[in-house]
Amino acid sequence: MSNNFNEAKMSAVIKEFTVNAEELAEIAAAFRHDLKRGLKNPDDSSLRMLKSYVGLPTGKETGEYLALDFGGTNVRVLRIRLMGAGQYTEVAKVAKPLKIDGEYDYIGANSNAEEMFGFLADLIGQAVDGDKETPFLLGHTFSFPSEQTDINNAKLIIWTKEFATPGVEGKVVNDLLTEALVARGYKNIKPVAVLNDTVAVLLSAAYKHPDTYIGSIYATGHNTCYLEPYAETGETPMILNLESGGFMKLVPNRFDIMFDEKSEKPGEQRLEKMVSGRYMGELFALALADVTGEKDAKYDFTAVDMSGIIMDGSENLDNAGQIINRITGKVFSQRELMLIKELAAAIVIRSARLVTATFVGIIWQTAGKGEVRMQHIAVDGSVYEKMPLVKENINRALTELLKEQSAVVDTVLDNGGSGLGAAIAAAMVKAG
Ligand code: GLC
């Protein structure tokens, strides 16, 4: 054997990543409880409960809008034409990463707000082919916790997803964007709405299918929003961005704790660090290093590597072995590879179960003492879309928690909802 792989240790580690039925139900109940407290006073909850100042669309929204989708490593700007009746077309699209190793980096600590928003404004300029005359309304999907006072005024509370650009926290993001646009002569482009990506996904899905009240992103980051009906107070229903990635009423394992301590923002985003694509690879790396007895090893596994390992269905696990060898430099036996694959699967399954528990917490809270209503949960993001084991484990967990009531609830992929939702929000502002 070429390494210190310890089988007994591996089984124990896999167990640490396992959430049994009882724990799952406890987490869903704890989420519901936090939500209920947060509705009364967000300070008493680990959920931020951020107001979006928008409800659901009618599906009749029309017109052409610009959508800036900013929230992960890739920024997209789209021109979207809404035709009403849930119909739309993408007229133009430009996309660029915020960071290219060795070339530029707008999300690191050495960047600044002006450079970052300048980059965004330049990309918007490209999407309109440099047109400085035609008026455009722009919807801005800004996918970080922000405090809003109306639909166009959002102040970044804190960066998440390891973004570290100085000078943006505490600022009104569309002021920064407008300044950058004006500085480049784009006085014709007017940001009119800013919204979280979860809110955008919910708007986009609800534009196409009624019966959608929950929107979620399950990708680099993870977060969920829902339409709060305010049944008790009679206020106008509004979408609340929970920033559920910050949910804290969980029991982190050793690896969760280890990773949190070395992250950009220790103590923050505890659920997100257990479930989202940005972090899964890091947890896997820490757990594997523990099993092979290498405390300080820094293996660069990503969620994509994990997906490759899990997808290797062959008996000899050659592909999985190659991925692991490329990253660790080590050769593992077939049996060891099988167990490593099980570890990757356990991390993914835990992620899907925890995410589902939060969905069910929302469903329980909105149903109150009544029946669970028929509904779709709209989800966008690469982990939901592409990671093996995720969809089936979401379904399994939905059934475990909701029992026969799970028949009326399903999750649906809303691909690209972040951009479409931004255009819909702009249209909703225009319609008044
Ligand atoms: C992070 C952000 C949140 C966003 C999510 C998905 O959790 O804080 O606002 O919705 O990532 O992009």
Side-chain angles (χ1 to χ4, degrees):
M1 216 186 289
S2 55
N3 54 66
N4 302 321
F5 195 97
N6 180 322
E7 262 198 38
K9 217 170 177 187
M10 178 59 116
S11 308
V13 167
I14 290 176
K15 241 201 194 126
E16 289 182 72
F17 282 100
T18 307
V19 179
N20 67 30
E22 201 180 314
E23 288 159 348
L24 185 73
E26 275 168 19
I27 295 164
F31 194 87
R32 177 192 185 166
H33 187 68
D34 229 21
L35 189 56
K36 209 169 167 181
R37 286 168 69 109
L39 278 169
K40 294 214 175 79
N41 181 0
D43 293 344
D44 293 339
S45 168
S46 69
L47 301 169
R48 291 187 191 269
M49 315 288 300
L50 302 169
K51 289 188 171 178
S52 69
Y53 294 89
V54 71
L56 295 184
T58 59
K60 298 195 181 102
E61 291 74 11
T62 54
E64 192 176 313
Y65 303 91
L66 282 175
L68 165 64
D69 182 13
F70 171 67
T73 28
N74 213 15
V75 183
R76 283 172 283 256
V77 182
L78 303 105
R79 281 168 70 172
I80 293 179
R81 188 173 306 136
L82 304 175
M83 278 95 82
Q87 303 292 312
Y88 67 97
T89 50
E90 238 176 64
V91 183
K93 178 176 175 176
V94 291
K96 243 187 184 176
L98 281 157
K99 170 182 171 179
I100 295 183
D101 284 338
E103 278 190 42
Y104 63 82
D105 177 0
Y106 295 109
I107 57 182
N110 293 327
S111 182
N112 63 50
E114 203 182 328
E115 281 174 17
M116 174 183 249
F117 282 82
F119 175 82
L120 299 178
D122 285 336
L123 203 61
I124 295 170
Q126 273 181 39
V128 298
D129 298 321
D131 180 348
K132 293 183 175 151
E133 303 295 326
T134 317
F136 287 102
L137 299 184
L138 177 139
H140 178 184
T141 302
F142 181 73
S143 314
F144 300 93
S146 311
E147 197 178 325
Q148 298 202 209
T149 50
D150 62 48
I151 189 159
N152 198 33
N153 186 304
K155 208 187 262 177
L156 172 62
I157 301 171
I158 183 174
W159 281 128
T160 51
K161 295 176 279 197
E162 311 301 294
F163 274 51
T165 315
V168 190
E169 287 173 332
K171 295 279 165 52
V172 174
V173 290
N174 269 357
D175 286 354
L176 297 173
L177 183 63
T178 306
E179 271 164 36
L181 284 167
V182 169
R184 284 160 182 74
Y186 290 109
K187 293 190 182 132
N188 53 326
I189 300 175
K190 203 170 155 216
V192 291
V194 59
L195 64 169
N196 188 255
D197 50 357
T198 56
V199 178
V201 164
L202 177 52
L203 293 182
S204 152
Y207 184 69
K208 292 170 281 190
H209 326 279
D211 298 334
T212 313
Y213 311 102
I214 296 177
S216 185
I217 297 285
Y218 194 0
T220 308
H222 168 65
N223 181 20
T224 301
C225 73
Y226 77 107
L227 183 76
E228 168 54 42
Y230 291 117
E232 281 171 24
T233 61
E235 287 163 69
T236 314
M238 186 192 282
I239 301 172
L240 299 180
N241 164 17
L242 297 178
E243 285 296 324
S244 60
F247 181 59
M248 292 271 196
K249 314 285 160 64
L250 294 156
V251 185
N253 68 24
R254 286 184 292 139
F255 307 105
D256 297 317
I257 293 169
M258 251 189 253
F259 176 67
D260 177 58
E261 280 168 0
K262 69 181 182 82
S263 67
E264 268 305 327
K265 297 264 160 73
E268 303 284 339
Q269 302 299 100
R270 298 308 296 268
L271 171 68
E272 183 164 65
K273 285 173 186 159
M274 293 167 82
V275 302
S276 83
R278 173 67 181 77
Y279 303 108
M280 259 187 233
E282 316 242 9
L283 291 176
F284 178 67
L286 286 172
L288 183 59
D290 188 63
V291 171
T292 54
E294 292 157 286
K295 279 272 174 284
D296 298 320
K298 167 86 185 79
Y299 296 142
D300 268 328
F301 282 101
T302 64
V304 174
D305 300 320
M306 289 171 73
S307 154
I309 294 168
I310 296 170
M311 269 191 307
D312 185 349
S314 71
E315 204 174 312
N316 53 19
L317 293 170
D318 275 349
N319 282 341
Q322 270 169 28
I323 297 171
I324 296 163
N325 177 260
R326 172 171 52 79
I327 295 162
T328 63
K330 292 179 184 303
V331 176
F332 291 92
S333 72
Q334 192 180 330
R335 169 143 185 94
E336 289 164 352
L337 288 174
M338 193 195 76
L339 291 167
I340 296 175
K341 178 176 157 178
E342 239 177 74
L343 170 65
I347 293 173
V348 171
I349 293 170
R350 181 182 76 155
S351 164
R353 288 172 75 75
L354 294 178
V355 166
T356 311
T358 70
F359 293 160
V360 170
I362 300 170
I363 291 172
W364 280 341
Q365 169 59 23
T366 44
K369 293 197 175 69
E371 291 276 297
V372 169
R373 63 179 161 180
M374 174 140 98
Q375 63 186 297
H376 307 295
I377 301 169
V379 189
D380 193 14
S382 45
V383 176
Y384 178 72
E385 192 181 352
K386 300 193 186 129
M387 182 64 98
L389 302 173
V390 163
K391 290 199 193 74
E392 66 217 66
N393 279 286
I394 290 181
N395 288 339
R396 198 168 297 154
L398 277 175
T399 313
E400 270 177 54
L401 290 167
L402 290 171
K403 312 275 183 316
E404 66 280 4
Q405 289 187 313
S406 65
V408 296
V409 178
D410 66 358
T411 58
V412 289
L413 175 68
D414 194 80
N415 213 339
S418 284
L420 176 58
I424 295 169
M428 289 168 80
V429 170
K430 189 174 162 210

